[in-house]
């Protein structure tokens, strides 16, 4: 009986730890910092300046940084 409780506690701890690590990885990927136009093009994208009226910045389209804002 003790082993079963211990195993359940370990599984719960592992599950909560996994959720915490996933949240951390997501937070660092979308840190909200704006890119330079050069960073966007180096990552394989192009700068879409048509989004300036609504977002006040450009948007990187394509490449590995797709969707990030460009100043």
């Amino acid at each position: 009986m003790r082993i079963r409780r211990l195993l359940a506690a370990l599984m719960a701890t592992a599950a909560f730890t996994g959720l915490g690590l996933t949240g951390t990885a997501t937070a660092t990927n979308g840190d909200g910092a704006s890119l330079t136009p050069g960073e966007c093009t180096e990552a394989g994208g192009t700068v879409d300046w048509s989004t300036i009226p609504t977002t006040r910045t450009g948007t990187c389209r394509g490449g590995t940084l797709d969707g990030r804002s460009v100043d």
Side-chain angles (χ1 to χ4, degrees):
M1 195 67 155
R2 274 185 166 168
I3 292 173
R4 199 178 295 176
R5 284 188 209 155
L6 180 63
L7 183 59
L10 288 173
M11 289 175 61
T13 302
F16 287 127
T17 303
L19 291 175
L21 292 176
T22 302
T24 302
T26 303
T28 56
N29 287 338
D31 60 359
S34 295
L35 304 170
T36 64
E39 290 172 329
C40 177
T41 55
E42 286 173 8
T46 58
V47 180
D48 178 8
W49 295 111
S50 67
T51 58
I52 289 177
T54 57
T55 63
R56 299 180 193 224
T57 61
T59 304
C60 187
R61 299 284 182 215
T64 57
L65 300 173
D66 186 41
R68 300 274 303 265
S69 62
V70 178
D71 279 336

